[in-house]
Short mmCIF file of all heavy atoms in Angstrom, two decimals:
data_model
loop_
_atom_site.label_atom_id
_atom_site.label_comp_id
_atom_site.label_asym_id
_atom_site.label_seq_id
_atom_site.Cartn_x
_atom_site.Cartn_y
_atom_site.Cartn_z
N ALA A 149 118.41 65.97 87.46
CA ALA A 149 117.16 65.70 86.73
C ALA A 149 116.77 64.23 86.90
O ALA A 149 115.60 63.87 86.77
CB ALA A 149 117.32 66.02 85.26
N HIS A 154 119.63 59.91 83.79
CA HIS A 154 120.09 61.04 82.96
C HIS A 154 120.27 62.31 83.77
O HIS A 154 119.57 62.52 84.76
CB HIS A 154 119.12 61.30 81.79
CG HIS A 154 117.87 62.04 82.19
ND1 HIS A 154 117.60 63.33 81.77
CD2 HIS A 154 116.83 61.68 82.96
CE1 HIS A 154 116.43 63.71 82.26
NE2 HIS A 154 115.95 62.73 82.98
N LEU A 161 119.36 69.21 86.70
CA LEU A 161 117.96 69.54 86.40
C LEU A 161 117.89 70.82 85.55
O LEU A 161 117.24 70.84 84.49
CB LEU A 161 117.19 69.71 87.71
CG LEU A 161 115.74 70.16 87.61
CD1 LEU A 161 114.92 69.21 86.75
CD2 LEU A 161 115.10 70.26 89.00
N HIS A 164 119.34 70.21 82.05
CA HIS A 164 118.39 69.48 81.22
C HIS A 164 117.27 70.42 80.73
O HIS A 164 116.94 70.45 79.54
CB HIS A 164 117.81 68.33 82.06
CG HIS A 164 116.58 67.68 81.52
ND1 HIS A 164 116.55 67.05 80.30
CD2 HIS A 164 115.33 67.55 82.05
CE1 HIS A 164 115.33 66.57 80.09
NE2 HIS A 164 114.58 66.85 81.13
N VAL A 165 116.73 71.21 81.62
CA VAL A 165 115.62 72.10 81.26
C VAL A 165 116.08 73.17 80.26
O VAL A 165 115.39 73.47 79.29
CB VAL A 165 115.00 72.72 82.53
CG1 VAL A 165 114.08 73.88 82.19
CG2 VAL A 165 114.23 71.66 83.30
N LEU A 168 116.28 71.75 76.88
CA LEU A 168 114.93 71.65 76.30
C LEU A 168 114.42 73.02 75.84
O LEU A 168 113.72 73.11 74.83
CB LEU A 168 113.95 71.08 77.33
CG LEU A 168 113.63 69.59 77.22
CD1 LEU A 168 114.88 68.77 77.40
CD2 LEU A 168 112.59 69.20 78.24
N THR A 191 107.92 73.78 79.65
CA THR A 191 109.28 73.22 79.67
C THR A 191 109.95 73.51 81.02
O THR A 191 110.56 72.63 81.63
CB THR A 191 110.10 73.80 78.50
OG1 THR A 191 109.41 73.52 77.29
CG2 THR A 191 111.49 73.22 78.45
N HIS A 194 108.08 71.26 83.70
CA HIS A 194 107.78 69.83 83.55
C HIS A 194 108.45 68.96 84.63
O HIS A 194 107.84 68.04 85.14
CB HIS A 194 108.10 69.34 82.12
CG HIS A 194 109.52 68.99 81.87
ND1 HIS A 194 110.51 69.93 81.71
CD2 HIS A 194 110.13 67.78 81.75
CE1 HIS A 194 111.65 69.32 81.51
NE2 HIS A 194 111.45 68.01 81.53
N ASP A 195 109.70 69.24 84.96
CA ASP A 195 110.40 68.45 85.99
C ASP A 195 110.68 69.27 87.24
O ASP A 195 111.47 68.85 88.09
CB ASP A 195 111.74 67.92 85.44
CG ASP A 195 111.56 66.68 84.57
OD1 ASP A 195 110.49 66.04 84.65
OD2 ASP A 195 112.50 66.35 83.82
N LYS A 198 111.00 67.93 90.81
CA LYS A 198 112.09 67.03 91.23
C LYS A 198 112.81 67.60 92.43
O LYS A 198 113.48 66.87 93.16
CB LYS A 198 113.03 66.76 90.06
CG LYS A 198 112.35 65.88 89.02
CD LYS A 198 113.27 65.23 88.06
CE LYS A 198 112.46 64.22 87.25
NZ LYS A 198 113.22 63.59 86.19
N HIS A 219 107.08 63.52 90.78
CA HIS A 219 107.22 64.94 90.39
C HIS A 219 106.07 65.43 89.52
O HIS A 219 105.78 66.62 89.48
CB HIS A 219 108.56 65.20 89.71
CG HIS A 219 108.73 64.56 88.37
ND1 HIS A 219 109.08 63.24 88.21
CD2 HIS A 219 108.60 65.05 87.12
CE1 HIS A 219 109.16 62.96 86.93
NE2 HIS A 219 108.88 64.04 86.23
N HIS A 251 103.75 65.04 80.15
CA HIS A 251 105.06 65.07 79.51
C HIS A 251 105.77 63.71 79.44
O HIS A 251 106.71 63.56 78.68
CB HIS A 251 105.97 66.16 80.12
CG HIS A 251 106.66 65.79 81.40
ND1 HIS A 251 106.11 66.04 82.64
CD2 HIS A 251 107.85 65.21 81.65
CE1 HIS A 251 106.95 65.65 83.57
NE2 HIS A 251 108.01 65.13 83.00
N HIS A 252 105.33 62.70 80.19
CA HIS A 252 105.93 61.37 80.03
C HIS A 252 105.22 60.54 78.96
O HIS A 252 105.56 59.39 78.73
CB HIS A 252 105.94 60.61 81.36
CG HIS A 252 107.01 61.09 82.29
ND1 HIS A 252 107.46 60.36 83.37
CD2 HIS A 252 107.75 62.22 82.32
CE1 HIS A 252 108.39 61.04 84.02
NE2 HIS A 252 108.58 62.18 83.40
N LEU A 271 106.76 69.07 73.85
CA LEU A 271 107.46 68.87 75.13
C LEU A 271 107.80 67.40 75.34
O LEU A 271 108.92 67.05 75.71
CB LEU A 271 106.62 69.42 76.29
CG LEU A 271 107.21 69.21 77.69
CD1 LEU A 271 108.60 69.83 77.81
CD2 LEU A 271 106.29 69.79 78.76
N ASP A 275 111.75 66.24 75.44
CA ASP A 275 112.18 65.70 76.75
C ASP A 275 112.77 64.30 76.56
O ASP A 275 113.84 63.98 77.06
CB ASP A 275 110.96 65.66 77.69
CG ASP A 275 111.33 65.27 79.10
OD1 ASP A 275 112.44 65.61 79.53
OD2 ASP A 275 110.50 64.63 79.78
N ASP A 276 112.06 63.48 75.79
CA ASP A 276 112.51 62.11 75.54
C ASP A 276 113.85 62.10 74.80
O ASP A 276 114.76 61.35 75.14
CB ASP A 276 111.43 61.40 74.70
CG ASP A 276 111.48 59.91 74.89
OD1 ASP A 276 111.91 59.47 75.97
OD2 ASP A 276 111.09 59.17 73.97
N ASP A 278 116.18 64.45 74.72
CA ASP A 278 117.27 64.93 75.57
C ASP A 278 117.71 63.85 76.55
O ASP A 278 118.91 63.65 76.79
CB ASP A 278 116.81 66.17 76.34
CG ASP A 278 117.98 66.99 76.84
OD1 ASP A 278 118.75 67.48 76.00
OD2 ASP A 278 118.12 67.12 78.07
N PHE A 279 116.73 63.10 77.07
CA PHE A 279 117.01 61.98 77.98
C PHE A 279 117.85 60.91 77.26
O PHE A 279 118.86 60.43 77.76
CB PHE A 279 115.66 61.42 78.47
CG PHE A 279 115.68 60.00 78.95
CD1 PHE A 279 116.25 59.68 80.16
CD2 PHE A 279 115.11 58.98 78.18
CE1 PHE A 279 116.26 58.37 80.61
CE2 PHE A 279 115.12 57.67 78.62
CZ PHE A 279 115.70 57.36 79.84
FE1 LIG B 2 112.59 66.02 81.72
#
Side-chain angles (χ1 to χ4, degrees):
H154 78 112
L161 176 57
H164 165 60
V165 167
L168 261 61
T191 303
H194 83 285
D195 280 342
K198 289 198 171 175
H219 67 279
H251 81 269
H252 284 198
L271 177 57
D275 187 32
D276 205 28
D278 200 62
F279 157 74

